[in-house]
Amino acid sequence: MVAGQTDTVQISRQAQAALAEELTPEEQAEVAELKATDRKVRSHEQAHLAAAGPYARGGISYEYETGPDDNEYAVGGEVNIDTSPVSGDPEATIRKAQVIRAAAQAPADPSGQDRRVAAAATQMEANARQEIREQQVEAQSARREASEAGADGQTTSTAETSSTDQPETLGDSPDESETTTASADSSSSPTVSSPAESSPSTLPDGSTIAPPPTVAVPTVANTATRTSNTYTVNASPTNATQPAVVGTLLDLVG
């Protein structure tokens, strides 16, 4: 079987050589050009494929042309590359765009389509960078709002603490008055004790002197009025009249 395959290859080569001898000079030049194009196309697409890495979708697709020698020559080709952004990850999108641009520019002679793919990758990278900037602005705004909210809460707490720490003052404002009435009672009013009744005194001549009458001392009611932090004390006797003291002793002595 191996020998048979070798014979087939030898016969094919001989046939190609015989056919090449039958080609006109123009056809031979065309074959030479097709061979050069084939080499160039294959090298070009291999560069795309190698640089695309994981973003290449499948292998290389070639477009062939049959030459005057009945052989097929690659005259075109393409490598499918995933050029979509990475959803929700702008940083990964930037890395992917850089790989795509490098793959598009990998050949020594990029085609017009290669340049358009590279430009699209550059725009995708720019969009991803803009998305990152917007995310950073939103994050800074959120942190600033949280900081301001925390400062407002701390200020409110401090104000409430200060108001509760102040001592309460009653009746200190000018328009506020407080009246306090103190009534005389057993604990606050002065107490005057009545003198004990004494027995009649006897004079040398045998006459007696009656003891002096009891003097009633009026009870004084104290009224204290506080107005605007000023106290005024008024003392008034509760009894309208006081009984007169009869000087019996003086009359008798005189």
Side-chain angles (χ1 to χ4, degrees), residues 39-103:
R39 289 192 299 269
K40 181 179 179 179
V41 168
R42 292 180 186 277
S43 175
H44 184 104
E45 300 305 329
Q46 286 291 341
H48 284 319
L49 182 63
Y55 303 118
R57 294 291 179 265
I60 304 172
S61 298
Y62 290 109
E63 180 183 352
Y64 294 97
E65 182 178 336
T66 303
D69 57 355
D70 291 335
N71 289 324
E72 292 185 341
Y73 298 95
V75 294
E78 64 179 13
V79 176
N80 291 324
I81 299 177
D82 179 11
T83 59
S84 61
V86 179
S87 178
D89 193 343
E91 294 182 354
T93 298
I94 291 174
R95 293 191 295 269
K96 182 177 180 179
Q98 293 172 346
V99 172
I100 294 172
R101 183 170 58 248

Side-chain angles (χ1 to χ4, degrees), residues 169-254:
T169 303
L170 301 177
D172 285 345
S173 58
D175 57 345
E176 182 179 355
S177 61
E178 177 182 345
T179 302
T180 304
T181 302
S183 300
D185 54 17
S186 59
S187 60
S188 60
S189 301
T191 303
V192 179
S193 301
S194 300
E197 294 184 0
S198 58
S199 59
S201 301
T202 303
L203 296 177
D205 58 358
S207 61
T208 61
I209 301 175
T214 301
V215 178
V217 179
T219 302
V220 179
N222 296 327
T223 302
T225 303
R226 180 189 179 191
T227 304
S228 302
N229 296 329
T230 301
Y231 288 92
T232 302
V233 179
N234 298 323
S236 61
T238 56
N239 297 330
T241 59
Q242 298 181 8
V245 178
V246 179
T248 305
L249 179 59
L250 297 178
D251 290 342
L252 295 175
V253 173

Side-chain angles (χ1 to χ4, degrees), residues 9-23 28 35 69-71:
V9 171
Q10 290 177 350
I11 294 174
S12 177
R13 287 178 179 176
Q14 292 174 357
Q16 289 178 357
L19 183 60
E21 292 177 356
E22 297 176 358
L23 296 176
Q28 290 178 359
K35 288 181 178 180
D69 57 355
D70 291 335
N71 289 324

